[in-house]
Amino acid sequence: QVILVESGGGLVQAGGSLRLSCAASGRTFSLYVMAWFRQAPGKEREFVAGITRGGSSTYYADSVKGRFTISRDNAKNTGYLQMSSLKPEDTAVYYCAAEKDHVNVYSGVSGYDYWGQGTQVTVSS
């Protein structure tokens, strides 16, 4: 198993930037496909971005393309989500997720076995 802990959330004005981190412990992080999801109050948890094991391929929800960048540093057992040009609609709890049995990135929550506790991102107008 792997334990995931998100950090880096906070309050930011629209147009600003935040960088989220996902620190992994336990099994070697390089064996896991990793993704970020977010969930706003009253809404379903939705896929934001995903990255393959070696970081060679990345995938993004249409709503964040061109604004968010997912990356990982397997030597540090850490994944990242760089968020720029933030909008109020980006406000949500952001979750890191991982799955060792995948080669591809999946956009559904059922595709991931391990989840972090979430970190709040609030974007003010």
Side-chain angles (χ1 to χ4, degrees):
Q1 67 173 15
V2 62
I3 298 171
L4 307 174
V5 179
E6 303 96 334
S7 63
L11 176 64
V12 64
Q13 292 185 329
S17 299
L18 283 174
R19 190 185 195 188
L20 306 183
S21 296
C22 175
S25 62
R27 198 171 176 191
T28 304
F29 189 49
S30 63
L31 299 178
Y32 292 78
V33 171
M34 177 250 177
W36 289 92
F37 290 76
R38 66 187 182 187
Q39 187 167 22
K43 294 187 177 181
E44 296 287 312
R45 190 169 298 187
E46 65 175 354
F47 175 80
V48 175
I51 189 167
T52 52
R53 293 172 178 177
S56 60
S57 298
T58 58
Y59 304 87
Y60 299 93
D62 288 342
S63 59
V64 306
K65 285 181 180 177
R67 300 189 298 119
F68 291 11
T69 301
I70 188 171
S71 62
R72 66 193 298 165
D73 187 340
N74 287 336
K76 297 181 179 179
N77 280 7
T78 303
Y80 305 95
L81 184 68
Q82 176 67 50
M83 305 184 294
S84 300
S85 301
L86 283 162
K87 304 174 181 179
E89 53 261 44
D90 294 319
T91 296
V93 176
Y94 283 71
Y95 297 90
C96 180
E99 172 57 56
K100 69 176 177 61
D101 294 327
H102 292 168
V103 174
N104 300 322
V105 170
Y106 293 88
S107 61
V109 296
S110 62
Y112 299 87
D113 289 336
Y114 303 101
W115 295 84
Q117 84 289 349
T119 186
Q120 177 70 48
V121 173
T122 302
V123 184
S124 62
S125 301

